[in-house]
Amino acid sequence: MSHRTTIRVLAAATAVLALAAGAGCASSAGGADPQRVDVVAAFYPLQFLAERIGGDAVRVTNLAKPGAEPHDLELNPSQVGQVSEAELIVYLKGFQPAVDDAVAQNGGDRAFDVTSVQPLLDASAGGHNHDGEEGHADESGGKDPHVWLDPTRLAGIGDQLAQRLGKADAAHAADYTARAEALRADLTALDGEFKNGLATCQRREIVTSHAAFGYLADRYQLDQVGITGLSPDVEPAPQRLADTIEEAKEHHATTIFFETLVSPKVAETIAGQVGAKTAVLDPIEGLAAGSDGDYLSVMRTNLRTLQTALGCS
């Protein structure tokens, strides 16, 4: 190795060390990773999408913590900072007011609203509409935000997310597209399992304490009977409770479903009056704390729960 080459190598090594030191400073100050696209996801299903499609080329931060109710999310100053510094913000407009506010103030053209890909169904779609219900129907103009519970719609969002990531990081655009195609294959297989698994059932009504399953009901020809409307933390009025008990009896419901992240009290009250069992149907707004599952595994658990409850063969 010549003297000149040695100097060149040393200079390059010094530059690399300087870059690494600078990256360390950037990381401690703003949490940014210079080697990867910094993505902020508003809640779990969007985190799942970003991680599956981004792979090791992205760093994904979920604003909603495991085990927490994402609707009620309040952002602390560091999370607002994460939104303002992210290279891509993946959110669902109308679902989390605090995230909508942060995006409006700091999102700019880095925000990707998944409702721009998949227009939302009305809150009554896929089930009964009850007057006087409150909650997210009001926040999102009478729309049901739980679009991810239809795997085919989630695949469409994934395809668009791959395009957005490709614009942010052109060097890996082909990789993002390939991973979105692999995810679409997984979601198509899941969709087939639901179609086949729910094709022949004794009952098609799902009586649930959180009317989050309109997309699932719409896709697989089920009929959702919601107890409290779209908001999982609104106590139903006594008359509403009485109506639902009557409705559950009319439908000969053998199971009243409640969700993972809220109290099962309402569902258990109705089940006791009707002589039905209770079971968990997970809207997958977030994973339970300590869960080692993912979107696909929780959806398959939901399918088994539905098959049992609805008497599917």
Side-chain angles (χ1 to χ4, degrees):
M1 188 182 287
S2 71
H3 179 65
R4 186 174 294 167
T5 306
T6 304
I7 290 172
R8 201 177 289 144
V9 169
L10 283 170
T14 304
V16 167
L17 286 170
L19 275 172
C25 294
S27 178
S28 61
D33 183 337
Q35 303 304 316
R36 295 185 287 176
V37 179
D38 209 10
V39 179
V40 164
F43 59 103
Y44 172 69
L46 304 183
Q47 175 196 354
F48 170 76
L49 275 188
E51 287 176 345
R52 276 293 305 265
I53 294 167
D56 56 8
V58 303
R59 188 182 76 114
V60 182
T61 302
N62 182 358
L63 294 174
K65 298 292 174 270
E69 222 335 299
H71 301 104
D72 311 321
L73 179 70
E74 296 294 335
L75 298 181
N76 61 40
S78 74
Q79 288 175 307
V80 173
Q82 286 167 345
V83 170
S84 63
E85 290 169 14
E87 289 164 83
L88 186 63
I89 307 147
V90 188
Y91 79 116
L92 194 157
K93 191 172 184 178
F95 185 55
Q96 297 162 294
V99 176
D100 290 355
D101 290 346
V103 167
Q105 289 166 24
N106 300 305
D109 59 0
R110 297 167 297 110
F112 173 49
D113 171 16
V114 301
T115 68
S116 66
V117 183
Q118 287 289 345
L120 299 180
L121 291 176
D122 290 338
S124 58
H128 292 17
N129 188 25
H130 295 285
D131 295 334
E133 290 178 350
E134 296 177 355
H136 305 293
D138 296 336
E139 289 168 16
S140 55
K143 299 296 182 183
D144 180 352
H146 304 86
V147 62
W148 59 90
L149 291 174
D150 176 347
T152 64
R153 292 174 190 259
L154 191 63
I157 292 169
D159 293 339
Q160 292 297 312
L161 177 57
Q163 287 191 18
R164 284 298 298 264
L165 283 167
K167 283 180 184 169
D169 176 23
H172 295 102
D175 295 339
Y176 297 134
T177 301
R179 282 193 285 263
E181 286 171 359
L183 177 59
R184 176 175 277 282
D186 285 348
L187 292 171
T188 300
L190 179 68
D191 178 53
E193 290 170 36
F194 266 81
K195 274 188 168 166
N196 294 332
L198 299 174
T200 311
C201 305
Q202 293 169 21
R203 293 168 293 283
R204 302 208 74 80
E205 296 81 16
I206 50 174
V207 182
T208 173
S209 64
H210 180 193
F213 300 94
Y215 292 91
L216 191 142
D218 186 63
R219 178 72 184 161
Y220 305 113
Q221 286 79 56
L222 302 175
D223 187 15
Q224 173 179 247
V225 181
I227 297 169
T228 59
L230 284 171
S231 186
D233 47 8
V234 172
E235 282 287 324
Q239 185 57 49
R240 179 76 190 91
L241 207 53
D243 290 346
T244 304
I245 289 165
E246 283 309 305
E247 202 158 3
K249 286 177 180 173
E250 273 174 42
H251 290 300
H252 306 293
T254 59
T255 306
I256 309 293
F257 297 105
F258 63 92
E259 65 166 301
T260 37
L261 300 181
V262 296
S263 164
K265 190 172 62 180
V266 173
E268 286 171 349
T269 299
I270 292 168
Q273 294 287 322
V274 175
K277 296 186 298 237
T278 58
V280 171
L281 200 58
D282 194 335
I284 325 184
E285 293 175 353
L287 293 179
S291 169
D292 58 359
D294 69 357
Y295 170 85
L296 295 166
S297 68
V298 178
M299 279 292 276
R300 289 189 169 102
T301 300
N302 278 346
L303 175 57
R304 290 191 293 273
T305 301
L306 286 167
Q307 287 175 303
T308 301
L310 302 179
C312 306
S313 57

